[in-house]
């Protein structure tokens, strides 16, 4: 029988084992924790290699795929049901907000390659940026400082600093006021 590349795992055994352990901790200790225990959840994420700044509010139903690839500055907020799919590092700079059901998607597949391999790239969310509810950031995108990605919008390319972006694909509709 010929080898089927679609059946080959995209990740190493070690990676899959780490994610299994993280998923058990997530299910037993992270997700059921009271909403106000942000420090507890930060501790659990740090225990799995996340770099978490001070005063971060990561809510119990936020979904982080690989904590060891999560880098958060200070005062970052990640709302319930936000999904951070991070096979490569995802950076959340200080004071950025990731709203409910937002999706930071750090990987896709090469649909033109016969083996359909996983292709991943880092995502960088700048300081004071806001990823609104149900918005999506695609692999390799940089959301610059102060940028807003509006409700349900999809960022397919880098967003300008202090801009408001909406639609599919996201496009700039105006500047955001930068209060210093």
């Amino acid at each position: 029988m010929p080898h089927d590349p679609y059946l080959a795992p995209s990740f190493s055994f070690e990676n899959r084992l780490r994610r299994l352990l993280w998923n058990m901790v997530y299910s037993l200790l992270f997700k059921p924790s009271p909403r106000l225990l942000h420090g507890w959840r930060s501790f659990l994420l740090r225990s799995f290699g996340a770099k978490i700044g001070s005063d971060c509010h990561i809510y119990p139903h936020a979904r982080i795929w690989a904590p060891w690839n999560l880098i958060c500055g200070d005062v970052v907020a990640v709302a319930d049901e936000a999904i951070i799919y991070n096979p490569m590092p995802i950076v959340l700079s200080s004071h950025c907000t990731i709203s409910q059901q937002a999706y930071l998607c750090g990987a896709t597949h090469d649909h033109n390659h016969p083996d359909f391999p996983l292709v991943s790239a880092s995502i960088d969310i700048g300081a004071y940026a806001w990823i609104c509810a149900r918005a999506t950031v695609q692999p390799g995108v940089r959301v610059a400082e102060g940028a807003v990605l509006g409700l349900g919008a999809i960022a397919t390319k880098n967003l300008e600093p202090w801009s408001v972006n909406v639609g599919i694909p996201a496009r700039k509709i105006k500047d955001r006021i930068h209060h210093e």
Side-chain angles (χ1 to χ4, degrees):
M1 177 179 250
H3 170 71
D4 186 346
Y6 282 77
L7 298 177
S10 295
F11 299 95
S12 69
F13 177 76
E14 178 188 352
N15 181 284
R16 291 179 289 158
L17 182 60
R18 287 174 82 184
R19 284 188 289 118
L20 173 66
L21 293 172
W22 164 243
N23 284 325
M24 290 189 304
V25 168
Y26 175 81
S27 297
L28 297 172
L29 301 173
F30 188 100
K31 191 174 178 180
S33 64
R35 285 179 61 79
L36 295 175
L37 292 185
H38 301 295
W40 169 248
R41 288 184 294 279
S42 291
F43 166 77
L44 292 173
L45 289 164
R46 284 186 192 107
S47 297
F48 278 83
K51 294 175 180 70
I52 308 287
S54 63
D55 297 316
C56 289
H57 288 186
I58 300 173
Y59 285 86
H61 291 266
R63 194 75 179 116
I64 292 107
W65 192 79
W68 49 92
N69 283 333
L70 180 63
I71 302 163
C72 291
D74 297 333
V75 196
V76 167
V78 181
D80 279 327
E81 298 182 13
I83 298 172
I84 298 176
Y85 175 49
N86 57 340
M88 294 289 286
I90 288 184
V91 176
L92 306 178
S93 298
S94 71
H95 296 82
C96 78
T97 300
I98 312 300
S99 290
Q100 297 84 350
Q101 298 180 353
Y103 184 29
L104 306 184
C105 183
T108 185
H109 290 271
D110 182 349
H111 61 275
N112 287 319
H113 192 283
D115 294 346
F116 199 59
L118 187 78
V119 178
S120 56
S122 296
I123 292 173
D124 188 358
I125 308 298
Y128 301 96
W130 177 21
I131 309 302
C132 295
R134 295 191 174 180
T136 298
V137 179
Q138 289 189 341
V141 170
R142 166 138 176 68
V143 176
E145 178 179 319
V148 174
L149 181 62
L151 175 72
I154 299 178
T156 60
K157 61 182 182 177
N158 295 347
L159 303 184
E160 295 176 23
W162 299 98
S163 62
V164 177
N165 305 270
V166 299
I168 302 171
R171 68 189 190 300
K172 179 181 173 182
I173 59 166
K174 62 182 176 180
D175 290 322
R176 179 181 181 193
I177 297 172
H178 181 190
H179 300 281
E180 295 195 42

